[in-house]
């Protein structure tokens, strides 16, 4: 009769249990570090929005938002707290919150500047930031998770 002997199985099982116990913390840390990268790209992209203090019309749309609106966007940029869904997935959001000093919703201003309106040309700054930050954020998540796994397996 054949005999099977597994060497080091207990050690491997202990490492796996340590990894399972800290999965949420590792994922939250990786997600927040990736969100910081996305936030920085949003900040740089927001700073590049053209400003135009004139009133726009359909025949002669303005090129960008007012300087006070741009400053309101830069001041309101933030990262939402991490939430866990029913399936166990985690997510967060990077975006603009609250209102600026003029009482205008920063999310509305960002949407109008990104997509354009009948009186303002499109800038696409959010789309550019998303395209630029996605590969960097994914690489950061991979880096953080791999480093945490290596720490736990030592």
């Amino acid at each position: 009769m054949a005999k099977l002997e597994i060497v080091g199985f207990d050690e491997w099982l202990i490492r796996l249990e340590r990894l399972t116990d800290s999965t949420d913390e590792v994922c939250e840390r990786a997600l927040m570090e990736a969100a910081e990268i996305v936030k920085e790209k949003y900040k740089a992209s927001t700073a590049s929005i053209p400003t135009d203090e004139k009133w726009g019309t359909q025949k002669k749309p303005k090129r960008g938002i007012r300087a006070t609106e741009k400053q309101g966007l830069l001041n309101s940029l933030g990262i939402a707290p991490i939430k866990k869904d029913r399936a166990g997935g985690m997510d967060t959001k990077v975006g603009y919150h609250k209102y600026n000093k003029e009482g205008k919703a920063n999310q509305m201003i960002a949407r109008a500047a990104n997509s354009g309106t009948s009186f303002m040309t499109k800038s696409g700054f959010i789309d550019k930031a998303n395209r630029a930050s996605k590969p960097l954020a994914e690489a950061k998540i991979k880096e953080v998770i791999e480093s945490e796994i290596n720490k736990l397996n030592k």
Side-chain angles (χ1 to χ4, degrees), residues 91-104:
D91 67 0
T92 187
K93 297 177 185 177
V94 175
Y96 309 95
H97 66 285
K98 299 190 181 182
Y99 296 87
N100 64 14
K101 291 180 181 179
E102 299 171 339
K104 296 179 183 175

Side-chain angles (χ1 to χ4, degrees), residues 7-118:
V7 179
F9 183 73
D10 291 334
E11 182 182 319
W12 180 79
L13 190 58
I14 291 169
R15 286 181 182 180
L16 194 58
E17 285 175 357
R18 270 190 277 164
L19 184 60
T20 303
D21 292 341
S22 62
T23 300
D24 285 350
E25 294 85 22
V26 170
C27 291
E28 285 179 14
R29 181 167 169 244
L31 195 56
M32 284 308 287
E33 288 192 27
E36 284 294 332
I37 291 172
V38 174
K39 180 182 171 187
E40 290 305 313
K41 289 292 182 184
Y42 267 48
K43 191 176 209 174
S45 192
T46 302
S48 72
I49 300 172
T51 56
D52 191 349
E53 300 298 325
K54 300 175 187 170
W55 287 94
T57 64
Q58 286 184 343
K59 292 183 181 179
K60 190 176 179 188
K62 64 186 213 170
R63 326 180 286 111
I65 59 177
R66 295 175 44 216
T68 55
E69 293 171 336
K70 185 176 181 176
Q71 191 58 47
L73 289 178
L74 289 168
N75 292 341
S76 70
L77 185 59
I79 301 171
I82 294 175
K83 292 187 179 180
K84 206 170 186 182
D85 63 15
R86 290 181 184 167
M90 294 181 188
D91 67 0
T92 187
K93 297 177 185 177
V94 175
Y96 309 95
H97 66 285
K98 299 190 181 182
Y99 296 87
N100 64 14
K101 291 180 181 179
E102 299 171 339
K104 296 179 183 175
N106 287 313
Q107 291 175 343
M108 178 191 69
I109 294 168
R111 183 196 49 77
N114 187 60
S115 304
T117 65
S118 60

Side-chain angles (χ1 to χ4, degrees), residues 127-147:
D127 302 330
K128 291 174 190 172
N130 285 339
R131 282 191 302 271
S133 65
K134 184 176 180 179
L136 298 173
E138 288 174 347
K140 188 63 170 182
I141 289 172
K142 183 178 179 182
E143 174 190 324
V144 169
I145 290 175
E146 286 178 353
S147 71

